[in-house]
């Protein structure tokens, strides 16, 4: 999910402008009364990645592609006794297009706190590596990383934010191969101004990619079956194996008889609005899209939206957005019908279409 | 090629001029498995407030590594490299890497690196490297299976 943050380099980060060495030195200019900083600080020393594994063993093709890109003709990187360029250290640990799978919950939480507080952009500022032994084709890469430090709030030319430093120990076939300290600035961009050497540009129009996305569902053993159903466009209701009672949302046991046994029933899709609220303020742009009116242009991010408690024909109730009707036309008792909508490239959700037809 | 025997503090490495092409930025990002859109998708980069795509830190790291080993020769072993980024490398710019030897101890040298572009300092950093004379033979690159033999040398030679 690292793409969510959107790396950005707005204005040039001049050395004097960036809060260099900001993690260790200087007065904590934003720390007084900074409750977020106190919360962030608690993540220091916690794991950023545990028992991570490189997606590929060290291999000649990736070495060659690297050398081609860098224009590096060093003879040690070729031939039967080739080693990898030491500066590839981090590359062997990268998640690639399919993303990181080894990040810790603590790291995700830390980023979630920063994202939630508006510090959504990220830029890498420092990389410090020590190379303990050469990496050779065939070496299996494993790594552990720790959140080493979080700085007090710093204001840089890019914007205001927090430096987060992680330290990774990289192993090859179980032997220490290198250390990698990486510092990023997680920041809220400053208002962009043109400066010397910065091409002037029109103010960006509202950016669909920058619109905050809905929170990710928290999927665990107790509800994984529900989300597996959503992925197949099936709304699954739990049915108690003891007393047969239907329940929603998913729970590990029956509220009526306590039985942990259950199976599922697929909702037929018919339902009606049992109750609803219309959210006017504060605006939550992630929930304003897709809009209340079907196929209309993307609504203004601050558009009000209706949240309905829908009673399904099976008798259970579920929260969801009502589409196909303006937010101020949703009514109690209104018939609705289940459908599934993709709200962003990585999330599909059940929605309810007003009218109940189809 | 320069063996550390002829290297002294204050020596300046010949500069390396790197044209920052769009191709270099994209190739470097993909070779380092960095698929952040700001390193290959100009439109996405603009939407995030950057005037264009820009080079990722891993490519900068790789270019600095190349600059050092190009200069110190095939028997160079890079021990440490610490870099800090400043002004981004955008397409159409040119970066000039420069290095100054700051310390020499035995076969180990420390080099101060800067890379400047049209906007200022793109990168500053410090490298520690060891140059093993070819006749000493036991370099990790050329005799990978003898790495344990070289370990005491490396530990002894690496200054803090």
């Amino acid at each position: 999910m690292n793409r969510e943050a959107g790396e950005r380099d707005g204005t040039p980060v001049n050395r004097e402008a960036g809060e260099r060495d900001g993690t260790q030195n200087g007065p904590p200019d934003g720390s007084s009364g900074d409750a977020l900083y106190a919360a962030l600080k608690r993540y220091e020393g916690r794991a950023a990645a545990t028992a991570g594994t490189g997606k590929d063993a060290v291999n000649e093709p990736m070495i060659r592609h690297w050398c081609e890109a860098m224009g590096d003709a060093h003879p040690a990187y070729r031939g039967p006794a080739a080693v990898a360029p030491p500066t590839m250290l981090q590359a062997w640990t990268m998640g690639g297009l399919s993303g990181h799978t080894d990040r810790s919950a603590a790291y995700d939480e830390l980023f979630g706190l920063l994202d939630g507080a508006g510090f959504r952009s990220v830029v890498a500022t420092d990389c410090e590596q020590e190379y303990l032994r050469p990496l050779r084709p065939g070496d299996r890469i494993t790594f552990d990383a720790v959140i080493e430090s979080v700085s007090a709030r710093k204001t840089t030319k890019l914007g205001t934010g927090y430096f987060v430093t992680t330290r990774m120990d990289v192993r090859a076939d179980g032997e220490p191969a290198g250390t990698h300290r990486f510092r990023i600035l997680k920041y809220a961009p400053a208002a962009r101004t043109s400066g010397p050497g910065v091409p002037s540009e029109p103010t960006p129009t509202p950016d669909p990619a920058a619109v905050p996305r809905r929170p990710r569902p928290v999927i665990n053993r107790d509800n994984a079956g529900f989300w597996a159903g959503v992925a197949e466009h099936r709304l699954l209701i739990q049915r108690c194996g003891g007393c047969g009672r239907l329940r929603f949302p998913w729970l590990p046991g029956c509220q009526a008889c306590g039985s942990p046994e259950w199976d599922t029933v697929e909702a037929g899709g018919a339902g009606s609005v049992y109750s609803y609220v219309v959210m006017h303020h504060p605006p939550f742009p992630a929930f304003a899209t897709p809009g209340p009116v079907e196929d209309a242009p993307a609504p203004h991010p601050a558009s009000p939206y209706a949240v309905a408690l829908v009673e399904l024909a099976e008798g259970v109730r579920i929260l969801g957005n009502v589409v196909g009707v303006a937010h101020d036309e949703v009514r109690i008792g209104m018939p609705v019908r289940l459908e599934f909508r993709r709200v962003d490239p990585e999330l599909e959700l059940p929605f309810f279409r007003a009218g109940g037809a189809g | 090629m320069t063996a550390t025997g002829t290297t002294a503090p204050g020596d300046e490495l010949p500069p390396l001029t790197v044209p920052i092409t769009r191709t270099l930025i994209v190739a470097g990002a993909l070779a380092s498995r960095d698929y952040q859109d700001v390193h290959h998708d100009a439109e996405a980069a603009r939407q995030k407030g950057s005037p264009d795509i820009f080079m990722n830190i891993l490519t900068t790291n790789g270019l600095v590594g190349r600059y050092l080993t190009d200069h110190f020769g095939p028997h160079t072993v890079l021990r440490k490299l610490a870099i800090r980024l400043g002004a981004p490398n955008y397409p159409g710019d040119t970066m000039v890497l420069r290095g100054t030897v700051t310390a020499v101890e035995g076969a180990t040298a420390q080099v101060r690196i800067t890379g400047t572009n049209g906007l200022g300092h793109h990168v500053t950093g410090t490298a520690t490297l060891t140059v093993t004379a070819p006749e000493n033979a036991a370099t990790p690159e050329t005799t990978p299976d003898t790495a344990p033999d070289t370990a005491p040398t490396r530990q002894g030679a690496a200054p803090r």
Side-chain angles (χ1 to χ4, degrees):
Chain A
M1 297 300 130
N2 53 351
R3 267 167 290 166
E4 188 169 1
E7 192 167 340
R8 166 198 159 133
D9 241 355
T11 49
V13 196
N14 291 328
R15 290 185 58 238
E16 59 274 19
E19 185 61 59
R20 319 317 307 201
D21 299 314
T23 52
Q24 307 296 340
N25 302 330
D29 53 21
S31 61
S32 62
D34 184 348
L36 177 61
Y37 174 58
L40 300 174
K41 207 61 186 162
R42 286 199 282 272
Y43 288 87
E44 288 185 350
R46 295 185 64 183
T50 304
T53 54
K55 291 195 171 179
D56 297 286
V58 176
N59 65 85
E60 289 176 56
M62 283 173 63
I63 293 172
R64 188 168 57 76
H65 298 165
W66 173 280
C67 289
E68 285 181 0
M70 304 302 159
D72 197 331
H74 196 305
Y77 308 149
R78 289 176 288 158
V83 299
T87 51
M88 281 189 81
L89 186 68
Q90 185 186 1
W92 304 114
T93 69
M94 294 287 279
L97 197 51
S98 53
H100 285 280
T101 52
D102 303 305
R103 284 199 176 144
S104 71
Y107 191 83
D108 286 341
E109 284 171 28
L110 175 65
F111 271 59
L113 281 176
L114 285 160
D115 285 336
F119 302 99
R120 302 181 59 82
S121 297
V122 60
V123 63
T125 61
D126 295 78
C127 171
E128 300 170 19
Q129 298 179 330
E130 183 167 8
Y131 312 110
L132 302 175
R133 84 143 172 85
L135 297 178
R136 304 183 189 91
D139 284 342
R140 307 296 314 190
I141 299 299
T142 52
F143 54 89
D144 290 283
V146 64
I147 300 165
E148 195 172 69
S149 64
V150 182
S151 77
R153 186 179 301 185
K154 300 291 183 182
T155 298
T156 74
K157 207 165 198 173
L158 277 174
T160 297
Y162 298 81
F163 288 92
V164 178
T165 306
T166 54
R167 182 181 186 278
M168 179 183 284
D169 290 307
V170 181
R171 294 176 300 274
D173 286 345
E175 293 175 37
T179 61
H180 169 64
R181 179 178 285 117
F182 202 63
R183 186 169 299 134
I184 57 146
L185 173 63
K186 193 91 172 90
Y187 67 101
R192 185 171 165 74
T193 52
S194 295
V198 180
S200 62
E201 54 175 323
T203 304
T205 50
D207 164 19
V211 169
R213 304 193 312 172
R214 291 177 184 235
R216 304 296 97 175
V218 177
I219 300 175
N220 55 39
R221 280 178 298 180
D222 291 333
N223 67 12
F226 170 74
W227 291 104
V230 170
E232 298 172 355
H233 290 188
R234 301 166 68 213
L235 182 61
L236 298 179
I237 303 165
Q238 275 181 311
R239 179 170 56 194
C240 176
C243 66
R245 181 183 167 123
L246 298 181
R247 66 175 184 262
F248 192 93
W250 282 40
L251 292 167
C254 178
Q255 301 129 295
C257 75
S259 169
E261 303 302 320
W262 54 269
D263 63 1
T264 60
V265 173
E266 183 178 352
S272 61
V273 174
Y274 183 82
S275 186
Y276 69 95
V277 294
V278 175
M279 190 68 193
H280 291 274
H281 187 82
F284 287 98
F287 289 92
T289 53
V293 180
E294 187 200 12
D295 300 330
H300 189 277
S303 296
Y305 56 92
V307 181
L309 181 62
V310 170
E311 184 163 276
L312 297 176
E314 289 79 8
V316 298
R317 295 173 195 150
I318 175 175
L319 286 166
N321 287 87
V322 179
V323 296
V325 62
H327 65 83
D328 54 358
E329 291 171 3
V330 175
R331 292 291 179 270
I332 287 174
M334 176 180 275
V336 293
R337 182 145 197 98
L338 172 70
E339 66 181 38
F340 290 88
R341 282 201 165 195
R342 183 168 289 285
V343 296
D344 63 50
E346 289 158 21
L347 186 60
E348 276 189 294
L349 292 173
F351 275 70
F352 294 93
R353 173 169 300 282
Chain B
M1 283 177 212
T2 310
T4 47
T6 61
T7 298
D11 284 0
E12 295 197 356
L13 281 58
L16 174 67
T17 299
V18 182
I20 309 301
T21 63
R22 204 167 287 279
T23 301
L24 172 60
I25 293 169
V26 173
L30 299 193
S32 56
R33 299 201 24 88
D34 184 346
Y35 290 85
Q36 292 275 348
D37 56 14
V38 290
H39 304 311
H40 63 260
D41 182 338
E43 181 57 30
R46 276 192 288 274
Q47 287 180 347
K48 288 175 176 159
S50 180
D52 205 331
I53 63 169
F54 55 92
M55 183 176 286
N56 70 338
I57 194 169
L58 291 90
T59 301
T60 302
N61 211 38
L63 290 171
V64 170
R66 169 198 156 191
Y67 175 56
L68 292 165
T69 52
D70 276 359
H71 175 73
F72 287 97
H75 298 282
T76 309
V77 180
L78 201 52
R79 305 298 186 195
K80 295 180 191 172
L81 181 56
I83 63 168
R84 168 163 294 171
L85 293 194
N89 267 343
Y90 294 120
D93 207 339
T94 299
M95 175 172 68
V96 180
L97 287 168
R98 291 186 174 83
T100 305
V101 177
T102 55
V104 177
E105 185 179 323
T108 300
Q110 282 198 357
V111 183
R112 178 81 185 152
I113 299 290
T114 62
T116 50
N117 62 23
L119 302 175
H121 283 293
H122 168 67
V123 58
T124 55
T126 308
T128 304
L129 52 87
T130 304
V131 181
T132 309
E135 53 273 23
N136 291 354
T139 65
E141 306 102 315
T142 52
T143 53
D145 293 327
T146 62
D149 297 338
T150 66
T153 307
R154 277 187 282 159
Q155 286 167 2
R160 292 294 307 180

